[in-house]
Amino acid sequence: MSVPTIRDVARLAGVSVATVSRYLNHKGYVSRETAEKVEAAIRALKFEPNEVARGLANQKLNAIAVILPDITNPFFPELLKAIDEQAERYGYNVLVWNARSHASKRSSYARMIRQQYLDGAIIAAHDIAEDEIARLQAEAIPLVLVDRPSAHGVPQIRSRNREGARLAVRHLMAIGAEKIAHLSGPASILPAAERRQGYLDEVEARPWFAPSLIVGGELSIEGGMAATEALLARHPDVDAIFAANDLMAIGALKVLHRRGIRVPEDVALIGFDDIPLAAVVEPELSTVRQPVDVMGRLAVDLLLRRSNARPKKKHPAAQPIERPDDPSSAAGPSVYELEVTVIERASTLRKNR
C-alpha cells in the first residue's frame, strides 16, 4: 500500500488540500465541523504529516543545526549522540552538517538559520568564520559554540584542556618518564592550542626540555604517524609522548610498533578525549577523558534557553543540567568549562625497565 498523502486526506474528508494544510499547521480558520472531518480522515488513513513540510509552512522545523568539523573523528559522533538524545527528549530534530566535507554549504546553512527555519545552531567547527558568527549573533540567531572561541558573547562550552594536558604530563612524570614529547594539533584549533600550553606549563622549565620536542600535525591517525616519525628523527631517546588527541596517539602507537619500540616499556603514551577506540587498541590507550555526554546535553539546554523555546513534548529525562562552576575569571560568564579525568590504561602501565 502507498503512503497516504495530504491529498488523500482532503479527498476522504471532502475538503480542499488548503483546508487540510490550515488544520495541520494551525494557520487560518477551520470550522469545528470541518476539523472533525479532517481528523477522522487522518485517523482512518493513518496519515502522518511530513514534519519538514509542516515546519516549512510554519517557518520552523522544530530542529537545531549541529555543525561539526570532521565526522571521521570518533569524538564528534559521540558528541552528536549526546546532542541528539537531549534534543529528542525535548521534541526537537537535529540536522547535521560536516563542515569539512563541503565548504560551499556554509552559506546555505547560515541562510537557513537566518531565515529562521531552524531554532538555532550548535557550532563545533573551527572553520566557520568569525564574521559569520558575528552576523548571526547580530541577527539574534541562537547559537552555542563547542570547542571554539568567539569574541561576540556567544556561550562557549569546552573542557579544561590546559588542565587536562597538565594532568597527562604529570601522570607521565609519576611513572618515571624523563623526556616527554608532545604531538600537537594545529595552533588555530582552540583545544589543541590549550593542550600545547598545558604541556609547556609542566615541562618548559625542565633541564631536558627543548622546543623540538613539540611536533605539530593534523588531529588524525595519519597526522600522529607523521609527527611521530619526525619526533623520533629528532629525539630517538624520548621515553614518553603526550598526544593532543587519541587519534594522534593511535598513529604514534602504530609507528612505535613498526619500529619495534615497546609501549609502555620503552615509550609511554597518553592521548586526550577517550574515544571508544582508545580501549580497543593494543595496548589499551591511557587518555584524558572529556565528559562528552555532559557537553552535548549542556549545549542543547543552553541553545533552547537562548531561543526561549518551549519543549515540544515532555520527557521525564529532559532535565536541564546544572551549569558547571567556572572559577576562572578570565573565562567570563559565557564560557562553560568542564572537568576532565586521566584514565590510566596499559600504554602507561610502566614496568621496571
Side-chain angles (χ1 to χ4, degrees):
M1 295 179 63
S2 60
V3 177
T5 67
I6 191 172
R7 294 184 180 278
D8 297 324
V9 173
R11 188 179 301 112
L12 183 60
V15 299
S16 67
V17 171
T19 298
V20 177
S21 179
R22 286 200 302 274
Y23 171 79
L24 291 173
N25 296 307
H26 309 289
K27 295 184 66 175
Y29 174 75
V30 177
S31 70
R32 178 178 297 179
E33 180 182 359
T34 300
E36 290 175 352
K37 290 180 181 179
V38 172
E39 186 60 37
I42 289 173
R43 289 197 302 270
L45 294 170
K46 297 182 179 178
F47 172 72
E48 295 184 4
N50 185 301
E51 289 295 329
V52 173
R54 289 180 65 183
L56 291 174
N58 284 313
Q59 299 295 296
K60 283 288 185 183
L61 287 175
N62 293 338
I64 58 178
V66 179
I67 305 175
L68 301 176
D70 182 9
I71 58 174
T72 63
N73 183 336
F75 173 78
F76 292 106
E78 290 292 306
L79 175 65
L80 176 60
K81 177 184 176 184
I83 290 172
D84 184 61
E85 288 176 350
Q86 187 75 344
E88 196 278 332
R89 291 178 181 125
Y90 286 123
Y92 282 80
N93 301 303
V94 170
L95 302 182
V96 184
W97 174 35
N98 182 26
R100 179 167 291 188
S101 62
H102 296 292
S104 61
K105 287 184 178 180
R106 293 175 191 160
S107 60
S108 63
Y109 269 79
R111 185 168 58 251
M112 180 177 284
I113 296 169
R114 193 173 292 113
Q115 290 172 341
Q116 297 184 351
Y117 290 144
L118 303 176
D119 288 275
I122 297 170
I123 301 176
H126 53 82
D127 51 358
I128 302 297
E130 181 69 8
D131 59 353
E132 187 62 49
I133 298 290
R135 184 178 177 186
L136 292 171
Q137 178 77 346
E139 296 177 15
I141 305 300
L143 300 174
V144 171
L145 305 180
V146 177
D147 270 352
R148 63 154 293 162
S150 174
H152 298 282
V154 181
Q156 303 166 42
I157 303 170
R158 58 176 180 254
S159 294
R160 295 185 182 274
N161 293 295
R162 185 171 177 175
E163 177 62 19
R166 297 184 69 177
L167 292 173
V169 174
R170 289 173 191 168
H171 172 61
L172 293 174
M173 290 179 177
I175 63 169
E178 298 177 348
K179 191 172 184 179
I180 303 169
H182 177 45
L183 308 184
S184 176
S188 60
I189 298 177
L190 175 65
E194 291 180 333
R195 294 168 195 176
R196 181 180 185 275
Q197 187 56 54
Y199 164 80
L200 285 171
D201 290 343
E202 295 296 323
V203 305
E204 203 164 15
R206 302 280 172 172
W208 50 261
F209 173 72
S212 55
L213 283 166
I214 302 175
V215 184
E218 292 297 316
L219 294 166
S220 64
I221 292 176
E222 294 76 14
M225 294 178 68
T228 303
E229 293 284 7
L231 170 66
L232 294 176
R234 301 176 190 175
H235 297 282
D237 60 337
V238 68
D239 68 348
I241 297 173
F242 163 50
N245 75 350
D246 288 343
L247 291 181
M248 292 190 85
I250 291 169
L253 187 62
K254 290 187 66 173
V255 169
L256 294 170
H257 176 73
R258 289 176 180 178
R259 286 179 171 234
I261 298 173
R262 300 171 301 167
V263 176
E265 291 86 354
D266 300 323
V267 175
L269 180 62
I270 189 169
F272 204 114
D273 287 342
D274 195 26
I275 62 175
L277 195 56
V280 175
V281 295
E282 187 62 38
E284 294 183 356
L285 182 65
S286 292
T287 185
V288 179
R289 174 179 292 165
Q290 295 196 72
V292 63
D293 54 338
V294 175
M295 190 177 289
R297 289 186 286 125
L298 179 60
V300 173
D301 288 350
L302 288 175
L303 186 68
L304 296 185
R305 194 181 307 166
R306 286 176 65 80
S307 68
N308 294 316
R310 294 182 177 180
K312 304 304 174 184
K313 63 180 182 180
K314 294 182 179 179
H315 190 290
Q319 298 297 326
I321 62 177
E322 294 297 322
R323 177 197 186 283
D325 290 331
D326 179 14
S328 171
S329 59
S334 65
V335 177
Y336 298 76
E337 289 194 327
L338 306 180
E339 296 291 345
V340 294
T341 308
V342 171
I343 304 299
E344 300 180 27
R345 297 194 178 102
S347 69
T348 59
L349 187 61
R350 178 158 286 175
K351 301 174 183 178
N352 293 330
R353 299 176 65 184

